[in-house]
Amino acid sequence: MTTIEQMTEKDVAGACRLWSFCFDHGKARERTFEQITTEADGFVAKADGQFVGAYINRLLDMSYDGQFVPIGAIAAVGTELASRGSGVARAMMQHAVRHNREIGRPVSMLYPFSVKFYRDLGWELAGTNYFVSLGLKDVRPGPETDRVRAVTATEFDSVYDRFAQRYRGCMKRTPYIWERVLKPVDGEHRFMYVYEGDAGPEGFMHFCFGSQYYNDELQRPGEVFVRDLIALTPAAHRGLVGTLARLKMQVERVCWEVPADDPVFFEPYDHNRVATLTSERMFRVVDAEKLLARPSEGPVSGEYTIRIMDDEWAGGPQTYLVRLEDGTPRVFPSSATPSIEMTQRAFAQCWVGDPSAEPLRRAGHIQVHDDNQFGTFRSHFGPGTFMTCDPF
């Protein structure tokens, strides 16, 4: 029988050995208990007292319409080779769902090793970005470029937080996340630049010359991947891209990951720009009632009855009556016939807002029995502009 236990210091050596095998082709990966459990809960799986698996549940906050929502970000899910296929990983993920619900984190997020494996457990792909490759040959620095300067400090928190609050999906950058984002690749130097507006910094970017993108097959030879290109104003965006144009004597192209509303799509780079749609993140709602209770962006009034089906919930399908008054909801368990029905996976997508409820309905993933109530539901959650989550 497999049991899941909170990780202790005595489990660290076994976990590091396992993660070395699973993720680093056997290369030693030494970490301390403090490093593993910084902003995270660590867990180990044991069968008859023997170590057979481990995972980490990072305690992070994700941007959502101007606020930050607590989530459990699952990482480092590993199973010993001899125990694979025996349900260890499944048991750990079922534990993660229960654990996040118990500690008040209504959403779980991860990067999947297998979409099918996690989809069968209730996670679903949601939120898309574009991976943009921009040729530098015809890009010209403009007057805004004169406001860009090189920096060595990393005091970008205020700029990043203001940017993140425009989107659904950005992580609030704690010291741990900043360290992961700014970590040089293979010992290379990282080069950082800030755009100074009239009232202070309005944008920043940083990059290394080596390959560093987590989805390396999208990066082309001769490109530099810009890890962050964060701009609060169009002028800041033009200034930072204009600075990148000065790399043309060294590389042909630059690339970075952008949301659908990024200014790069509205500048005259069309003939020299390639955009590839990316979606590697999976979300799972572990407490639907808590998410249904979130205020809407606008003053929505009305009600809807929604049934959410999830095989992994012990209580089975749940039906809720949601009443909104000027955007403030009240949520009640209900035995009434639902006006809207969907799986938990479709609800996770509606919550992220990409895809939103209407295309999910057209695709047959949402069943609607009352169009007026469905309109209230759509107004409650609405489509959202998604921006990539940070590595964890």
Side-chain angles (χ1 to χ4, degrees):
M1 179 178 176
T2 301
T3 59
I4 313 299
E5 304 174 7
Q6 190 97 26
M7 184 181 291
T8 66
E9 290 198 45
K10 68 180 182 181
D11 298 315
V12 170
C16 289
R17 183 177 182 277
L18 173 65
W19 292 329
S20 166
F21 176 81
C22 293
F23 309 118
D24 294 324
H25 301 285
K27 183 179 178 181
R29 175 189 281 205
E30 302 299 331
R31 301 178 69 187
T32 67
F33 180 73
E34 289 73 22
Q35 288 173 324
I36 293 170
T37 56
T38 296
E39 302 169 10
D41 294 325
F43 295 95
V44 296
K46 295 183 180 180
D48 299 323
Q50 299 298 310
F51 185 99
V52 293
Y55 80 93
I56 295 173
N57 188 64
R58 298 218 168 276
L59 309 177
L60 303 178
D61 296 313
M62 191 187 88
S63 63
Y64 195 93
D65 295 347
Q67 301 176 348
F68 285 95
V69 176
I71 72 165
I74 295 174
V77 180
T79 304
E80 287 284 1
L81 182 63
S83 298
R84 291 180 182 176
S86 63
V88 174
R90 184 182 187 90
M92 290 193 292
M93 295 303 94
Q94 290 171 328
H95 176 272
V97 170
R98 294 192 300 272
H99 177 69
N100 280 303
R101 189 182 300 129
E102 289 168 0
I103 63 175
R105 293 182 175 267
V107 178
S108 170
M109 178 265 177
L110 52 79
Y111 292 94
F113 77 90
S114 164
V115 170
K116 182 182 185 306
F117 173 81
Y118 286 108
R119 182 172 280 152
D120 288 346
L121 288 170
W123 278 265
E124 187 53 89
L125 291 166
T128 53
N129 296 323
Y130 291 88
F131 186 73
V132 170
S133 174
L134 183 64
L136 298 177
K137 181 180 178 181
D138 298 322
V139 180
R140 298 282 184 269
E144 298 90 351
T145 307
D146 294 337
R147 288 179 172 262
V148 176
R149 60 180 175 84
V151 292
T152 55
T154 58
E155 298 176 359
F156 302 138
D157 280 28
S158 63
V159 174
Y160 176 81
D161 283 353
R162 288 160 61 195
F163 175 84
Q165 289 172 31
R166 298 175 176 177
Y167 298 100
R168 299 178 183 179
C170 294
M171 295 297 178
K172 186 168 183 63
R173 287 192 176 170
T174 62
Y176 170 84
I177 294 291
W178 274 115
E179 181 182 1
R180 291 290 304 272
V181 168
L182 296 172
K183 182 180 179 181
V185 177
D186 298 327
E188 292 186 352
H189 291 291
R190 183 170 293 276
F191 302 95
M192 295 178 283
Y193 300 86
V194 65
Y195 177 89
E196 290 284 356
D198 292 337
E202 293 179 3
F204 65 90
M205 67 180 179
H206 53 93
F207 59 86
C208 292
F209 280 98
S211 174
Q212 58 185 309
Y213 186 54
Y214 64 84
N215 199 349
D216 288 332
E217 64 266 21
L218 292 178
Q219 190 166 341
R220 303 174 177 206
E223 282 184 327
V224 163
F225 175 65
V226 182
R227 178 60 186 85
D228 272 331
L229 199 160
I230 302 295
L232 297 178
T233 63
H237 194 277
R238 288 192 295 269
L240 294 168
V241 173
T243 300
L244 288 172
R246 292 171 173 167
L247 281 172
K248 67 181 65 175
M249 65 183 67
Q250 295 163 270
V251 298
E252 295 180 2
R253 308 182 70 87
V254 295
C255 54
W256 68 101
E257 198 167 14
V258 303
D261 66 345
D262 194 85
V264 72
F265 293 121
F266 310 107
E267 294 292 334
Y269 305 138
D270 299 36
H271 66 292
N272 216 5
R273 184 194 68 207
V274 177
T276 305
L277 195 65
T278 68
S279 178
E280 294 89 9
R281 294 148 292 272
M282 299 187 79
F283 291 86
R284 193 196 199 291
V285 173
V286 301
D287 191 336
E289 187 171 356
K290 186 166 288 189
L291 295 186
L292 288 167
R294 69 167 294 275
S296 66
E297 279 198 277
V300 181
S301 294
E303 69 177 40
Y304 59 89
T305 307
I306 183 169
R307 181 178 175 86
I308 301 174
M309 293 158 282
D310 184 350
D311 293 339
E312 293 298 319
W313 279 342
Q318 303 292 314
T319 302
Y320 302 97
L321 170 63
V322 182
R323 289 181 175 149
L324 292 114
E325 184 173 346
D326 292 330
T328 300
R330 290 185 297 161
V331 182
F332 309 92
S334 175
S335 58
T337 301
S339 58
I340 307 163
E341 296 181 85
M342 67 184 74
T343 65
Q344 185 283 134
R345 293 187 291 108
F347 182 58
Q349 292 177 312
C350 288
W351 181 76
V352 173
D354 182 16
S356 58
E358 186 56 48
L360 285 168
R361 179 189 183 182
R362 291 198 298 267
H365 292 283
I366 297 177
Q367 289 71 52
V368 176
H369 311 297
D370 185 312
D371 284 327
N372 289 332
Q373 291 199 24
F374 182 61
T376 302
F377 171 77
R378 283 193 305 161
S379 298
H380 185 187
F381 286 91
T385 304
F386 184 85
M387 178 56 185
T388 185
C389 297
D390 287 304
F392 50 82

